[in-house]
Amino acid sequence: MFTGIIQSLGYLSAQRADRLEISLSPTDAQRVLGDMALGDSIAVDGVCLTVEAIAHQGFLADVSPETLQRTTLGRAKERRTAVNIETSLRVGGKVGGHFVSGHVDGVGQLLSNEQTDNAWLLSFGSVGSLERQWQEYLAPYLVPKGSIAVNGISLTVADCGEDWFNVAVIPHTYSETNLQLLQPGDWVNLEGDILGKYAARFLSRGRAMGQTKDIDLAFLAEHGYG
C-alpha cells in the first residue's frame, strides 16, 4: 500500500524483457535505499513492483507480461525514462495523499498542460485504442474532488467527463515528479480511488440482490452517521 506522495525520481532501463533496473541520484539513493530490503514493495510510476536486487545506487525489479501490457512500463523500458518512486507505507506512517494500491487500472494520455498563476492545470484523456479499458475501469471512479493516482501521484480531480479529467498541480508536486517532463500525447498510469471501488462494488451487489436503499439522511442516521 502507498499514499501517492512521491519520494524521488528514478531512471528506468531494461536489463532484459522481464527485469527493470531503476537508478537513483546519490542523494535519492541514500533516502530510498536506506531501509530497503529484498522482497519489499515499491511503486514505480504508480506500479507496485517487488525489489529483487539492490544495487549501489538503485534496485532491480522483475515485471510480468501482464504489467508490461497494462501499464506504461512496457513502453518506458525501451529507453531511459524518468519514473516516480515511492516506498510502501509503514504502519503508523503519515497518509499524506490517499490510499494507493499500486495496481494500475489503465492508461491515459496528457491532453494539455496550462500554467496558471499558482499551479499547472493538466488535462488527461483516454487513449483511442484503449477506450474500452478507460470506460470499464476508470470512468466509473472519476468524480469531481475525488482522488486519482497519475503515475503514482495522489491528485484531486478538478473536473471530469466520460473520457477526460483535469487536475490542478501545485508547484512543489510539479517540480518533484515527472509531471514536469510530460508532453501532450504522453501516456500515464492511472489508478482510481480504492475506497470508491469498494463503495461501487457494495452498491452494485446490493442492487442486484434488491437490498440497496436510497442513501438519505435517515439511512445515514440509521448507520451511525447522524
Side-chain angles (χ1 to χ4, degrees):
M1 186 65 71
F2 308 92
T3 70
I5 304 300
I6 303 305
Q7 293 168 289
S8 73
L9 282 175
Y11 291 89
L12 181 152
S13 57
Q15 273 209 336
R16 60 176 194 247
D18 61 348
R19 174 162 287 198
L20 303 177
E21 179 178 4
I22 294 88
S23 58
L24 305 165
S25 71
T27 301
D28 288 338
Q30 185 175 11
R31 179 169 60 249
V32 173
L33 304 179
D35 63 348
M36 180 181 287
L38 297 182
D40 278 359
S41 294
I42 190 161
V44 177
D45 257 5
V47 183
C48 180
L49 299 178
T50 300
V51 175
E52 300 291 344
I54 300 173
H56 171 65
Q57 203 165 299
F59 61 93
L60 284 76
D62 289 344
V63 58
S64 69
E66 167 71 10
T67 298
L68 290 176
Q69 181 178 6
R70 194 178 183 89
T71 72
T72 63
L73 296 187
R75 293 162 60 93
K77 75 183 186 69
E78 298 170 1
R79 58 192 186 278
R80 192 169 187 268
T81 305
V83 289
N84 298 318
I85 302 296
E86 181 190 357
T87 56
S88 58
L89 175 65
R90 301 305 196 255
V91 175
K94 293 182 179 180
V95 183
H98 71 282
F99 288 120
V100 177
S101 69
H103 301 152
V104 170
D105 293 311
V107 169
Q109 64 178 324
L110 179 68
L111 300 179
S112 63
N113 182 353
E114 177 186 352
Q115 185 174 2
T116 65
D117 290 339
N118 57 3
W120 278 262
L121 184 64
L122 276 64
S123 181
F124 297 93
S126 62
V127 175
S129 60
L130 300 173
E131 174 69 22
R132 183 177 177 181
Q133 180 192 71
W134 178 289
Q135 293 300 327
E136 185 172 354
Y137 297 110
L138 289 164
Y141 311 111
L142 288 174
V143 294
K145 308 308 177 185
S147 296
I148 190 165
V150 178
N151 278 355
I153 307 162
S154 175
L155 297 171
T156 300
V157 176
D159 197 7
C160 60
E162 281 300 307
D163 60 357
W164 64 274
F165 69 91
N166 55 38
V167 293
V169 182
I170 62 174
H172 175 79
T173 300
Y174 192 80
S175 64
E176 295 296 317
T177 68
N178 63 9
L179 293 181
Q180 62 180 304
L181 304 174
L182 293 179
Q183 299 296 321
D186 284 350
W187 289 18
V188 292
N189 295 317
L190 300 173
E191 180 189 332
D193 186 358
I194 191 170
L195 300 182
K197 296 174 190 176
Y198 279 118
R201 177 68 171 168
F202 171 79
L203 291 173
S204 66
R205 285 181 61 84
R207 292 191 187 98
M209 299 172 68
Q211 297 176 347
T212 301
K213 298 179 180 180
D214 290 336
I215 298 178
D216 53 20
L217 291 178
F219 177 90
L220 293 175
E222 178 184 349
H223 291 80
Y225 293 95

